[in-house]
Amino acid sequence: YGQDVQFKTTGVITVPVLSAVSVSSITSKKATFTAKVTSTGGGTLKRTGFCFATTHNPTTTATTLSCDKATQLQATATGLSPQTTYYVRAFAENEKGLEYGPEQTFTTKESGPDEDIQNYEWGNDQNWN
């Protein structure tokens, strides 16, 4: 028989598993997304983030926000349109492939006078007597 050789097998790597996205702090122009990578699938995360669009099942070819290969995901989308319905999913990729979490829907608020006043910057040359 020949020499004994030792080796170690590695586990099978599967695609990552993600939680549903929680959407908060919704205004007429922005929203904050949070989600979790609940399993890395035994692999190393190559990229994570959120993808969103005004159509169902957004993919990474839509608008994306990266989350630095983290398992606790959070990002804020800005530049959104008022009174618009968006669809968002978290995504994660490892050696096995790219996977998406469940889709969530949210609608931005109507732009109103309170928000416009809050976003207005007063000039330094104003003379208020």
Side-chain angles (χ1 to χ4, degrees):
Y1 293 102
Q3 265 184 332
D4 285 340
V5 178
Q6 291 184 351
F7 63 94
K8 182 179 179 181
T9 59
T10 58
V12 175
I13 295 176
T14 60
V15 293
V17 178
L18 296 117
S19 71
V21 176
S22 174
V23 183
S24 63
S25 302
I26 301 169
T27 69
S28 66
K29 298 175 184 172
K30 67 180 182 175
T32 299
F33 309 141
T34 56
K36 291 181 183 179
V37 177
T38 58
S39 171
T40 63
T44 302
L45 295 175
K46 293 181 177 185
R47 64 182 175 145
T48 60
F50 300 95
C51 51
F52 61 97
T54 56
T55 56
H56 283 285
N57 299 316
T59 66
T60 56
T61 60
T63 303
T64 61
L65 300 169
S66 295
C67 289
D68 234 8
K69 302 179 214 170
T71 56
Q72 301 289 325
L73 311 179
Q74 182 172 3
T76 299
T78 59
L80 303 176
S81 298
Q83 290 185 297
T84 302
T85 299
Y86 287 91
Y87 303 88
V88 60
R89 298 194 292 179
F91 68 86
E93 183 177 19
N94 65 9
E95 299 90 334
K96 183 69 175 182
L98 176 66
E99 188 66 23
Y100 297 95
E103 178 181 87
Q104 293 289 38
T105 304
F106 69 97
T107 302
T108 52
K109 296 183 178 180
E110 179 179 357
S111 182
D114 289 343
E115 185 174 357
D116 292 338
I117 291 170
Q118 183 180 14
N119 292 328
Y120 184 79
E121 293 185 24
W122 294 98
N124 292 329
D125 60 346
Q126 298 292 333
N127 185 5
W128 301 97
N129 292 328

